[in-house]
Structure formats: structure tokens, C-alpha cells
Amino acid sequence: QQPVQSPQAVILREGEDAVINCSSSKALYSVHWYRQKHGEAPVFLMILLKGGEQKGHDKISASFNEKKQQSSLYLTASQLSYSGTYFCGILSGGYQKVTFGIGTKLQVIP
Amino acid sequence: ETGVTQTPRHLVMGMTNKKSLKCEQHLGHNAMYWYKQSAKKPLELMFVYSLEERVENNSVPSRFSPECPNSSHLFLHLHTLQPEDSALYLCASSQDNGAANEQFFGPGTRLTVL
């Protein structure tokens, strides 16, 4: 069953912050975050493992709440380059089988 | 060449045609994947190969037939497709070492079935 992402779309001005949520009805082993720019391939952002710590690089970070079976992606002081569709994927069992959400379309405007 | 490459980038075919999509990874990975991406739908995993063995077949119709001759190459053979099969087909690879690892995606093949 695919994870549920919210919001489905968001528009930000440069410098603003955003949070994208990903929740699952199944117990999670790991949560994967990817970003896809229009006309390009999805690009890996980070993986959060069960029992692991909050991850982040630059001004994008994420958390994983095992009890609530959800993850949140935090984008701080957004830049124009952050625009794209953000996908969360969950590994809840099954061999290397990551099930992706429908995506959150984020647009950063000047 | 680096990363994951896919050919062709665009393909238009009739419902009675037979065609193949090709994927090649230059990353030394041992797992490869086919995904289907349609508008307003999540990425759908179709097939997973690890060490050239198919380990996942996600209830995909038999008109799609994968082939993995070695760890660097993956094909998707297409025959008697339907218009609803029109989509972006993405290939990905990763290093399978028992843990969940990042997947590297190719640029995709945009398929249109007439």
C-alpha cells in the first residue's frame, strides 16, 4: 500500500520554510526521499532507517517517527533550485521493494 | 558514460508492434529496477533484478517482459501494448547488500502507444 503524502502541492517564496509529510498504514523499516525536477530523473535525497537519527544535508533534513509510522521532510530557507516534485518511498518488507507516494509538487518563486 | 543510461529516450509504437527498452548502468551495482511513471500516479515498481535473478514481479501484465543478461544491462521487451501503457519508463540501479540503499535513476523512456 502506497504512503500518503501531504500537502499535494505547495508554493513558497525564496527563503521560506516548508514541511512535507509522508505517512503509512504499515510498519516501516525505512523511508526514502527523492526529488524529481520537471523532465528529469528522480534524484536521491536521503534514507531514514528504523531506529536511526534524523538526517540532513545543507538546508534539507528529515525525521522518522516509527511509532506514528511517518516521516517529515523539512526544507529551510528555500532556494529556487528546490523546486520539483518530492517523493517519499517506504520499505515495509519485500526484497528491495520501495513503494512510492504520489509526490508533493513544490514550487519556489522569487 | 556515467550513471544510468536509457535508450531510446522517446518511443512511439502501435499496438501490434514489438519493441525493446534498454537500460545500462555504469556504477558497478548488482540490482536493477523497472518503474512506470504515469501522470498523477505514484512511481510503480514493475520488476526488480538482483544478481541477474528476478526477485520481484509486481503483478505486471505479460505484454511486458524483462530481461537481465548481466548486472549492467536490463531490457524491457514490449509487445501488443495498450494505449494506457503510455507513460515514462524509468530504470534504476542500486547496490544490494541486504540493506535499503539509494537508487540511481536513468532519464527514462517516454513511451506513447497509439
Side-chain angles (χ1 to χ4, degrees):
Chain A
Q1 193 171 358
Q2 71 188 63
V4 176
Q5 287 187 236
S6 63
Q8 290 192 13
V10 59
I11 299 175
L12 299 174
R13 291 202 177 273
E14 264 186 297
E16 290 182 337
D17 302 338
V19 180
I20 299 172
N21 298 303
C22 174
S23 62
S24 171
S25 57
K26 287 181 162 185
L28 303 177
Y29 295 110
S30 62
V31 178
H32 305 223
W33 286 98
Y34 287 79
R35 176 173 63 206
Q36 185 177 27
K37 292 180 181 283
H38 183 68
E40 298 181 12
V43 173
F44 171 80
L45 293 176
M46 63 190 80
I47 289 176
L48 295 101
L49 304 176
K50 188 177 176 179
E53 298 177 355
Q54 183 164 337
K55 298 259 191 172
H57 60 84
D58 197 15
K59 295 188 171 102
I60 299 177
S61 62
S63 63
F64 182 11
N65 187 322
E66 295 164 40
K67 280 188 180 177
K68 292 185 177 179
Q69 293 164 191
Q70 61 183 218
S71 175
S72 295
L73 187 73
Y74 305 95
L75 299 100
T76 307
S78 58
Q79 305 167 21
L80 294 175
S81 62
Y82 287 4
S83 294
T85 300
Y86 289 78
F87 295 97
C88 76
I90 58 173
L91 186 71
S92 58
Y95 192 92
Q96 294 287 347
K97 182 179 174 179
V98 177
T99 304
F100 287 93
I102 201 165
T104 294
K105 189 170 181 180
L106 184 134
Q107 185 182 359
V108 181
I109 58 176
Chain B
E1 293 258 36
T2 58
V4 181
T5 57
Q6 290 185 243
T7 53
R9 295 293 308 276
H10 300 271
L11 178 63
V12 179
M13 59 187 288
M15 289 193 284
T16 57
N17 291 158
K18 286 186 181 181
K19 296 285 183 185
S20 296
L21 309 185
K22 179 183 175 183
C23 175
E24 186 172 357
Q25 60 96 1
H26 309 269
L27 300 167
H29 290 161
N30 59 10
M32 296 186 77
Y33 312 75
W34 278 117
Y35 287 91
K36 177 183 179 183
Q37 188 174 38
S38 306
K40 299 186 180 177
K41 292 178 81 173
L43 273 168
E44 298 173 54
L45 179 65
M46 300 175 74
F47 303 103
V48 181
Y49 276 82
S50 179
L51 298 171
E52 299 147 45
E53 295 284 328
R54 191 190 312 179
V55 295
E56 187 75 40
N57 178 346
N58 221 26
S59 303
V60 179
S62 59
R63 57 186 185 268
F64 294 92
S65 174
E67 179 191 359
C68 187
N70 55 61
S71 59
S72 299
H73 293 87
L74 185 65
F75 294 89
L76 189 63
H77 304 300
L78 316 171
H79 64 99
T80 58
L81 293 192
Q82 304 297 311
E84 60 263 29
D85 296 322
S86 299
L88 181 68
Y89 288 84
L90 290 162
C91 172
S93 71
S94 71
Q95 187 58 28
D96 173 20
N97 54 13
N101 292 316
E102 65 182 280
Q103 295 181 22
F104 292 79
F105 285 84
T109 295
R110 174 69 62 185
L111 174 68
T112 303
V113 182
L114 301 176

